[in-house]
Amino acid sequence: MIDKKDIIKMAKHVFKRGKGYPDRRLIHPKREWTVGLFMSLLVLFVGGTAAAQLYSTYRNVNTLLQVTPATMPRYNAQAVETALTEYRLREQEYESLQKNKGVSQSVVPVVTPAATTSDQLEEDTGPVELEF
């Protein structure tokens, strides 16, 4: 805790040092406000300058980009007919599989490659059942 002696000692130090002038090391509100205001204005000026520079650099971005005219795709009747034929064949195959599904659900067709030698036929043991 601060005693009366410490307060008197500090007051004597302040007034004795400069013959009544306040000590320069103490906080002076006017000086601190001036420094704070100056630093704020400096930051504001530097930030504004940087923002103006960026704005002037990117102001005309649309003119810097190469604008290519959009071309309309041409209708290719032959490609459309080919695709439609392919999808119709797939639809027929799907419908035939759906009809066969009701007949036997456990029969799954197994496709095996054609064997050229009798050794390959002997090695084939049939479909493998997987357990889940």
Side-chain angles (χ1 to χ4, degrees):
M1 194 158 186
I2 300 176
D3 296 356
K4 183 178 179 183
K5 291 179 186 179
D6 293 333
I7 294 172
I8 293 172
K9 183 179 176 183
M10 188 172 135
K12 283 183 181 179
H13 172 72
V14 169
F15 288 110
K16 183 179 177 185
R17 179 154 195 215
K19 295 184 180 172
Y21 294 109
D23 190 6
R24 299 249 180 228
R25 290 182 290 167
L26 293 177
I27 295 175
H28 301 289
K30 188 176 183 181
R31 180 182 66 196
E32 301 302 326
W33 271 98
T34 306
V35 170
L37 190 60
F38 175 73
M39 294 299 287
S40 300
L41 290 175
L42 181 67
V43 168
L44 183 67
F45 178 74
V46 169
T49 305
Q53 179 66 28
L54 284 173
Y55 175 75
S56 65
T57 301
Y58 295 112
R59 171 177 42 188
N60 298 325
V61 171
N62 291 337
T63 59
L64 296 176
L65 298 175
Q66 295 287 337
V67 179
T68 57
T71 58
M72 292 295 291
R74 295 181 183 226
Y75 182 75
N76 190 350
Q78 183 181 5
V80 171
E81 284 300 321
T82 306
L84 286 174
T85 306
E86 177 74 25
Y87 281 110
R88 286 183 189 124
L89 290 174
R90 287 184 184 182
E91 180 184 14
Q92 290 174 358
E93 183 179 347
Y94 177 75
E95 288 176 359
S96 68
L97 288 174
Q98 288 298 320
K99 289 178 184 176
N100 291 337
K101 182 179 179 183
V103 174
S104 62
Q105 292 180 352
S106 63
V107 177
V108 177
V110 177
V111 179
T112 58
T116 57
T117 63
S118 61
D119 294 335
Q120 289 178 345
L121 290 174
E122 292 175 1
E123 290 177 14
D124 189 16
T125 58
V128 178
E129 293 184 20
L130 299 175
E131 294 180 14
F132 292 102

PDB file of all heavy atoms in Angstrom, residues 74-90:
ATOM      1  N   ARG A  74     -24.429 -27.088 -82.855  1.00  0.00           N
ATOM      2  CA  ARG A  74     -25.256 -27.487 -83.987  1.00  0.00           C
ATOM      3  C   ARG A  74     -25.968 -28.794 -83.670  1.00  0.00           C
ATOM      4  O   ARG A  74     -25.440 -29.653 -82.975  1.00  0.00           O
ATOM      5  CB  ARG A  74     -24.401 -27.658 -85.238  1.00  0.00           C
ATOM      6  CG  ARG A  74     -23.796 -26.358 -85.685  1.00  0.00           C
ATOM      7  CD  ARG A  74     -22.974 -26.559 -86.927  1.00  0.00           C
ATOM      8  NE  ARG A  74     -22.352 -25.310 -87.290  1.00  0.00           N
ATOM      9  CZ  ARG A  74     -22.329 -24.841 -88.504  1.00  0.00           C
ATOM     10  NH1 ARG A  74     -22.881 -25.521 -89.483  1.00  0.00           N
ATOM     11  NH2 ARG A  74     -21.739 -23.702 -88.765  1.00  0.00           N
ATOM     12  N   TYR A  75     -27.155 -28.920 -84.186  1.00  0.00           N
ATOM     13  CA  TYR A  75     -27.955 -30.123 -83.993  1.00  0.00           C
ATOM     14  C   TYR A  75     -27.457 -31.198 -84.940  1.00  0.00           C
ATOM     15  O   TYR A  75     -27.491 -31.040 -86.158  1.00  0.00           O
ATOM     16  CB  TYR A  75     -29.438 -29.817 -84.239  1.00  0.00           C
ATOM     17  CG  TYR A  75     -30.340 -30.992 -84.022  1.00  0.00           C
ATOM     18  CD1 TYR A  75     -30.637 -31.424 -82.749  1.00  0.00           C
ATOM     19  CD2 TYR A  75     -30.897 -31.663 -85.098  1.00  0.00           C
ATOM     20  CE1 TYR A  75     -31.475 -32.497 -82.542  1.00  0.00           C
ATOM     21  CE2 TYR A  75     -31.734 -32.740 -84.917  1.00  0.00           C
ATOM     22  CZ  TYR A  75     -32.024 -33.160 -83.624  1.00  0.00           C
ATOM     23  OH  TYR A  75     -32.845 -34.221 -83.421  1.00  0.00           O
ATOM     24  N   ASN A  76     -26.994 -32.301 -84.370  1.00  0.00           N
ATOM     25  CA  ASN A  76     -26.482 -33.404 -85.173  1.00  0.00           C
ATOM     26  C   ASN A  76     -27.529 -34.517 -85.140  1.00  0.00           C
ATOM     27  O   ASN A  76     -27.624 -35.286 -84.182  1.00  0.00           O
ATOM     28  CB  ASN A  76     -25.151 -33.890 -84.596  1.00  0.00           C
ATOM     29  CG  ASN A  76     -24.460 -34.872 -85.511  1.00  0.00           C
ATOM     30  OD1 ASN A  76     -25.050 -35.344 -86.487  1.00  0.00           O
ATOM     31  ND2 ASN A  76     -23.206 -35.179 -85.190  1.00  0.00           N
ATOM     32  N   ALA A  77     -28.330 -34.592 -86.191  1.00  0.00           N
ATOM     33  CA  ALA A  77     -29.453 -35.531 -86.243  1.00  0.00           C
ATOM     34  C   ALA A  77     -28.977 -36.974 -86.227  1.00  0.00           C
ATOM     35  O   ALA A  77     -29.596 -37.838 -85.600  1.00  0.00           O
ATOM     36  CB  ALA A  77     -30.293 -35.260 -87.482  1.00  0.00           C
ATOM     37  N   GLN A  78     -27.867 -37.257 -86.876  1.00  0.00           N
ATOM     38  CA  GLN A  78     -27.379 -38.632 -86.946  1.00  0.00           C
ATOM     39  C   GLN A  78     -26.939 -39.116 -85.558  1.00  0.00           C
ATOM     40  O   GLN A  78     -27.253 -40.239 -85.161  1.00  0.00           O
ATOM     41  CB  GLN A  78     -26.216 -38.723 -87.930  1.00  0.00           C
ATOM     42  CG  GLN A  78     -25.691 -40.139 -88.113  1.00  0.00           C
ATOM     43  CD  GLN A  78     -24.528 -40.179 -89.082  1.00  0.00           C
ATOM     44  OE1 GLN A  78     -24.059 -39.141 -89.539  1.00  0.00           O
ATOM     45  NE2 GLN A  78     -24.079 -41.377 -89.400  1.00  0.00           N
ATOM     46  N   ALA A  79     -26.248 -38.269 -84.803  1.00  0.00           N
ATOM     47  CA  ALA A  79     -25.813 -38.648 -83.459  1.00  0.00           C
ATOM     48  C   ALA A  79     -27.010 -38.852 -82.536  1.00  0.00           C
ATOM     49  O   ALA A  79     -27.028 -39.774 -81.706  1.00  0.00           O
ATOM     50  CB  ALA A  79     -24.884 -37.578 -82.883  1.00  0.00           C
ATOM     51  N   VAL A  80     -28.039 -38.031 -82.697  1.00  0.00           N
ATOM     52  CA  VAL A  80     -29.234 -38.170 -81.874  1.00  0.00           C
ATOM     53  C   VAL A  80     -29.946 -39.479 -82.179  1.00  0.00           C
ATOM     54  O   VAL A  80     -30.375 -40.200 -81.268  1.00  0.00           O
ATOM     55  CB  VAL A  80     -30.172 -36.953 -82.077  1.00  0.00           C
ATOM     56  CG1 VAL A  80     -31.501 -37.181 -81.399  1.00  0.00           C
ATOM     57  CG2 VAL A  80     -29.518 -35.687 -81.560  1.00  0.00           C
ATOM     58  N   GLU A  81     -30.067 -39.820 -83.444  1.00  0.00           N
ATOM     59  CA  GLU A  81     -30.722 -41.072 -83.826  1.00  0.00           C
ATOM     60  C   GLU A  81     -29.934 -42.277 -83.326  1.00  0.00           C
ATOM     61  O   GLU A  81     -30.513 -43.270 -82.864  1.00  0.00           O
ATOM     62  CB  GLU A  81     -30.904 -41.149 -85.354  1.00  0.00           C
ATOM     63  CG  GLU A  81     -32.023 -40.283 -85.861  1.00  0.00           C
ATOM     64  CD  GLU A  81     -33.367 -40.679 -85.261  1.00  0.00           C
ATOM     65  OE1 GLU A  81     -33.650 -41.887 -85.084  1.00  0.00           O
ATOM     66  OE2 GLU A  81     -34.146 -39.767 -84.946  1.00  0.00           O
ATOM     67  N   THR A  82     -28.631 -42.216 -83.398  1.00  0.00           N
ATOM     68  CA  THR A  82     -27.795 -43.309 -82.896  1.00  0.00           C
ATOM     69  C   THR A  82     -27.998 -43.494 -81.397  1.00  0.00           C
ATOM     70  O   THR A  82     -28.149 -44.621 -80.906  1.00  0.00           O
ATOM     71  CB  THR A  82     -26.305 -43.031 -83.193  1.00  0.00           C
ATOM     72  OG1 THR A  82     -26.143 -42.765 -84.581  1.00  0.00           O
ATOM     73  CG2 THR A  82     -25.432 -44.182 -82.774  1.00  0.00           C
ATOM     74  N   ALA A  83     -28.020 -42.394 -80.671  1.00  0.00           N
ATOM     75  CA  ALA A  83     -28.221 -42.466 -79.224  1.00  0.00           C
ATOM     76  C   ALA A  83     -29.607 -43.002 -78.880  1.00  0.00           C
ATOM     77  O   ALA A  83     -29.759 -43.827 -77.972  1.00  0.00           O
ATOM     78  CB  ALA A  83     -28.008 -41.090 -78.595  1.00  0.00           C
ATOM     79  N   LEU A  84     -30.622 -42.545 -79.599  1.00  0.00           N
ATOM     80  CA  LEU A  84     -31.980 -43.026 -79.342  1.00  0.00           C
ATOM     81  C   LEU A  84     -32.106 -44.518 -79.622  1.00  0.00           C
ATOM     82  O   LEU A  84     -32.766 -45.252 -78.879  1.00  0.00           O
ATOM     83  CB  LEU A  84     -32.991 -42.242 -80.181  1.00  0.00           C
ATOM     84  CG  LEU A  84     -33.272 -40.810 -79.711  1.00  0.00           C
ATOM     85  CD1 LEU A  84     -34.173 -40.102 -80.705  1.00  0.00           C
ATOM     86  CD2 LEU A  84     -33.896 -40.830 -78.340  1.00  0.00           C
ATOM     87  N   THR A  85     -31.479 -44.994 -80.698  1.00  0.00           N
ATOM     88  CA  THR A  85     -31.498 -46.416 -81.015  1.00  0.00           C
ATOM     89  C   THR A  85     -30.828 -47.219 -79.899  1.00  0.00           C
ATOM     90  O   THR A  85     -31.341 -48.263 -79.475  1.00  0.00           O
ATOM     91  CB  THR A  85     -30.783 -46.677 -82.363  1.00  0.00           C
ATOM     92  OG1 THR A  85     -31.371 -45.847 -83.363  1.00  0.00           O
ATOM     93  CG2 THR A  85     -30.874 -48.130 -82.767  1.00  0.00           C
ATOM     94  N   GLU A  86     -29.707 -46.724 -79.424  1.00  0.00           N
ATOM     95  CA  GLU A  86     -28.989 -47.396 -78.332  1.00  0.00           C
ATOM     96  C   GLU A  86     -29.860 -47.487 -77.081  1.00  0.00           C
ATOM     97  O   GLU A  86     -29.953 -48.547 -76.453  1.00  0.00           O
ATOM     98  CB  GLU A  86     -27.689 -46.624 -78.018  1.00  0.00           C
ATOM     99  CG  GLU A  86     -26.900 -47.179 -76.861  1.00  0.00           C
ATOM    100  CD  GLU A  86     -26.184 -48.468 -77.203  1.00  0.00           C
ATOM    101  OE1 GLU A  86     -25.888 -48.707 -78.388  1.00  0.00           O
ATOM    102  OE2 GLU A  86     -25.944 -49.247 -76.269  1.00  0.00           O
ATOM    103  N   TYR A  87     -30.530 -46.414 -76.734  1.00  0.00           N
ATOM    104  CA  TYR A  87     -31.376 -46.412 -75.538  1.00  0.00           C
ATOM    105  C   TYR A  87     -32.622 -47.292 -75.722  1.00  0.00           C
ATOM    106  O   TYR A  87     -33.087 -47.910 -74.768  1.00  0.00           O
ATOM    107  CB  TYR A  87     -31.763 -44.990 -75.140  1.00  0.00           C
ATOM    108  CG  TYR A  87     -30.648 -44.297 -74.400  1.00  0.00           C
ATOM    109  CD1 TYR A  87     -29.941 -43.251 -74.985  1.00  0.00           C
ATOM    110  CD2 TYR A  87     -30.281 -44.689 -73.118  1.00  0.00           C
ATOM    111  CE1 TYR A  87     -28.920 -42.621 -74.321  1.00  0.00           C
ATOM    112  CE2 TYR A  87     -29.251 -44.072 -72.441  1.00  0.00           C
ATOM    113  CZ  TYR A  87     -28.572 -43.042 -73.038  1.00  0.00           C
ATOM    114  OH  TYR A  87     -27.555 -42.425 -72.362  1.00  0.00           O
ATOM    115  N   ARG A  88     -33.147 -47.359 -76.913  1.00  0.00           N
ATOM    116  CA  ARG A  88     -34.293 -48.248 -77.158  1.00  0.00           C
ATOM    117  C   ARG A  88     -33.890 -49.712 -76.994  1.00  0.00           C
ATOM    118  O   ARG A  88     -34.646 -50.508 -76.425  1.00  0.00           O
ATOM    119  CB  ARG A  88     -34.862 -47.994 -78.558  1.00  0.00           C
ATOM    120  CG  ARG A  88     -35.643 -46.711 -78.650  1.00  0.00           C
ATOM    121  CD  ARG A  88     -36.262 -46.513 -80.025  1.00  0.00           C
ATOM    122  NE  ARG A  88     -36.828 -45.184 -80.127  1.00  0.00           N
ATOM    123  CZ  ARG A  88     -36.514 -44.281 -81.058  1.00  0.00           C
ATOM    124  NH1 ARG A  88     -35.659 -44.600 -82.011  1.00  0.00           N
ATOM    125  NH2 ARG A  88     -37.078 -43.097 -81.050  1.00  0.00           N
ATOM    126  N   LEU A  89     -32.693 -50.065 -77.485  1.00  0.00           N
ATOM    127  CA  LEU A  89     -32.207 -51.436 -77.310  1.00  0.00           C
ATOM    128  C   LEU A  89     -32.003 -51.753 -75.829  1.00  0.00           C
ATOM    129  O   LEU A  89     -32.343 -52.847 -75.360  1.00  0.00           O
ATOM    130  CB  LEU A  89     -30.899 -51.640 -78.080  1.00  0.00           C
ATOM    131  CG  LEU A  89     -31.010 -51.665 -79.604  1.00  0.00           C
ATOM    132  CD1 LEU A  89     -29.627 -51.719 -80.243  1.00  0.00           C
ATOM    133  CD2 LEU A  89     -31.843 -52.872 -80.046  1.00  0.00           C
ATOM    134  N   ARG A  90     -31.464 -50.815 -75.091  1.00  0.00           N
ATOM    135  CA  ARG A  90     -31.271 -51.015 -73.655  1.00  0.00           C
ATOM    136  C   ARG A  90     -32.606 -51.175 -72.936  1.00  0.00           C
ATOM    137  O   ARG A  90     -32.732 -51.980 -72.014  1.00  0.00           O
ATOM    138  CB  ARG A  90     -30.507 -49.845 -73.036  1.00  0.00           C
ATOM    139  CG  ARG A  90     -29.042 -49.818 -73.377  1.00  0.00           C
ATOM    140  CD  ARG A  90     -28.363 -48.696 -72.649  1.00  0.00           C
ATOM    141  NE  ARG A  90     -26.969 -48.571 -73.025  1.00  0.00           N
ATOM    142  CZ  ARG A  90     -26.140 -47.691 -72.496  1.00  0.00           C
ATOM    143  NH1 ARG A  90     -26.565 -46.849 -71.577  1.00  0.00           N
ATOM    144  NH2 ARG A  90     -24.889 -47.638 -72.876  1.00  0.00           N
TER     145      ARG A  90
END
